[in-house]
Amino acid sequence: GGSVLASLNADCWLFVFERVLWELQRGLIQQSVAMAPTYPATTQPHTHAHAHINAPTHTPPKDVQTLIVRLWLLQCTILLKYQRVLTALPVFPAIWRQFLLETEAWYLGLQEGPTKILAGESVSEYLGFVIDVIASDGAFAQDLWEQTWQITNRFCPNLLQGRNGEGAVLVEVQNATL
């Protein structure tokens, strides 16, 4: 049998991305910011008996940030698995642009550290793969292709490095328009 997702219409796909995936991602990002560890001021000496006084008042957001990375990877998986269905829809350019903008907002908002390193590796590897697969199927009109690189270069410029001649031409075009 076929997947229920494969039979969704354009409005349903917009709902899946806008109201489920991106809302969840934004909520997790807000939660990770709210859960950042805070250390209360104390006049107590730091002894074993009072060690809990200097402990963070909130759980560190590492687990939440890991969930955000996994949610982003799920979005990549959906884009790949349902690529032919999605790219045939008139709303695909809007979904794709917003996916890139959501990725940019999440990635640029990360603090330096292990999560940003993991996210950077994931974004470089998986986003590059998603772009390649969608491009190989001819799903990017020229304007969407250019917008893809304009957005992606703001948060992951290494993706364009090492690309074929199309990327080099695009860099020249972007530099000329700046």
Side-chain angles (χ1 to χ4, degrees), residues 29 42 155:
I29 290 168
T42 180
F155 66 94

Side-chain angles (χ1 to χ4, degrees), residues 118-133:
L118 171 65
E121 291 170 358
S122 296
V123 167
S124 293
E125 184 175 339
Y126 288 96
L127 183 56
F129 182 69
V130 172
I131 291 170
D132 289 343
V133 169

Side-chain angles (χ1 to χ4, degrees), residues 14-33 64-75 78 102 106:
L14 278 173
F15 185 86
V16 166
F17 279 96
E18 290 177 350
R19 298 290 179 211
V20 178
L21 296 171
W22 296 329
E23 285 294 324
L24 179 58
Q25 181 173 314
R26 289 179 202 128
L28 287 171
I29 290 168
Q30 287 176 346
Q31 184 178 358
S32 73
V33 170
V64 174
Q65 292 193 8
T66 301
L67 281 175
I68 297 168
V69 172
R70 289 181 179 167
L71 178 60
W72 184 81
L73 292 171
L74 173 63
Q75 293 173 52
I78 290 170
E102 295 291 335
W106 157 62

Side-chain angles (χ1 to χ4, degrees), residues 121-155:
E121 291 170 358
S122 296
V123 167
S124 293
E125 184 175 339
Y126 288 96
L127 183 56
F129 182 69
V130 172
I131 291 170
D132 289 343
V133 169
I134 294 173
S136 70
D137 204 31
F140 286 121
Q142 185 62 32
D143 64 329
L144 188 57
W145 180 249
E146 291 174 7
Q147 290 171 7
T148 295
W149 291 113
Q150 288 168 352
I151 296 168
T152 304
N153 282 335
R154 295 192 303 239
F155 66 94

